[in-house]
Amino acid sequence: MRQTERFPVEGPNALWQMYNTVSKFKAVRNFVFIQLARYCPSLPLKNWIYRRILGVKVGEQTAFALMVMVDVFFPEKIHVGKNTIIGYNSTLLTHEYLIKEYRLGEIHIGSNVMIGANVTILPGVTIGDHAVVGAGSVVHKDVEAGSFVTGNPLRVIRSPGDVRTEPREE
């Protein structure tokens, strides 16, 4: 189960009330810097924007590929370990605005993790060290360290305890 906090709302759906949860200034500022980072070809500069301006916790040698979209409203709830790759056009969401409530949850991505292209990571998810998430996946639950997962719905292809067998030469 994802670790999210739930906040009920009265009146119209929660998205109509988003500026009650985050300031317009923060949203616009974050949007501008996220767009700069999305197109930035320099990984050190991109990580500097995430760390210093947006408050994302980013480990050394982590690489955010072109077009990665981090959460506009709450990027400070994203934690990424060292030497991790976030694939092209992936989305990291730390909020969900629903009809009668909104939810917030941190994203924790370990070290030496490979996130494929076009992956969506939902709020409240933890992805363990050395995990691999296949391209196009929707990560709606925690991913165990060392496992390989893919798809929508997410399924485990290889667990850390699985024994690899190499083909025998005849």
Side-chain angles (χ1 to χ4, degrees), residues 12-38:
N13 71 62
L15 191 55
W16 276 99
Q17 301 179 51
M18 71 180 150
Y19 294 120
N20 295 333
T21 61
V22 65
S23 77
K24 290 179 185 176
F25 172 77
K26 179 183 178 185
V28 170
R29 178 187 68 105
N30 287 356
F31 179 79
V32 168
F33 284 104
I34 288 168
Q35 292 307 314
L36 284 171
R38 290 182 81 194

Side-chain angles (χ1 to χ4, degrees), residues 5-120:
E5 289 183 80
R6 300 173 136 192
F7 302 91
V9 298
E10 298 292 327
N13 71 62
L15 191 55
W16 276 99
Q17 301 179 51
M18 71 180 150
Y19 294 120
N20 295 333
T21 61
V22 65
S23 77
K24 290 179 185 176
F25 172 77
K26 179 183 178 185
V28 170
R29 178 187 68 105
N30 287 356
F31 179 79
V32 168
F33 284 104
I34 288 168
Q35 292 307 314
L36 284 171
R38 290 182 81 194
Y39 292 95
C40 179
S42 167
L43 295 177
L45 178 56
K46 188 180 293 210
N47 285 351
W48 184 87
I49 292 169
Y50 289 137
R51 286 182 189 118
R52 303 285 186 240
I53 297 175
L54 299 171
V56 177
K57 285 75 173 181
V58 179
E60 294 180 26
Q61 273 64 56
T62 284
F64 288 81
L66 188 68
M67 300 299 291
V68 170
M69 185 67 189
V70 301
D71 194 278
V72 173
F73 298 137
F74 305 97
E76 66 277 6
K77 292 184 174 289
I78 299 171
H79 308 260
V80 184
K82 61 184 176 185
N83 199 42
T84 288
I85 296 173
I86 311 294
Y88 175 84
N89 203 39
S90 290
T91 303
L92 286 69
L93 296 172
T94 61
H95 76 273
E96 298 175 306
Y97 288 104
L98 306 171
I99 301 296
K100 297 285 185 191
E101 69 181 12
Y102 69 95
R103 299 176 188 163
L104 300 178
E106 293 189 352
I107 292 174
H108 292 271
I109 301 172
S111 295
N112 301 298
V113 173
M114 175 64 210
I115 306 290
N118 296 304
V119 169
T120 299

Side-chain angles (χ1 to χ4, degrees), residues 128-166:
D129 294 343
H130 302 281
V132 175
V133 179
S137 299
V138 176
V139 182
H140 68 282
K141 60 185 177 181
D142 290 349
V143 175
E144 188 178 0
S147 61
F148 173 36
V149 297
T150 192
N152 182 14
L154 195 68
R155 47 190 194 106
V156 177
I157 302 300
R158 188 182 71 240
S159 294
D162 292 348
V163 177
R164 287 189 184 175
T165 56
E166 301 298 324

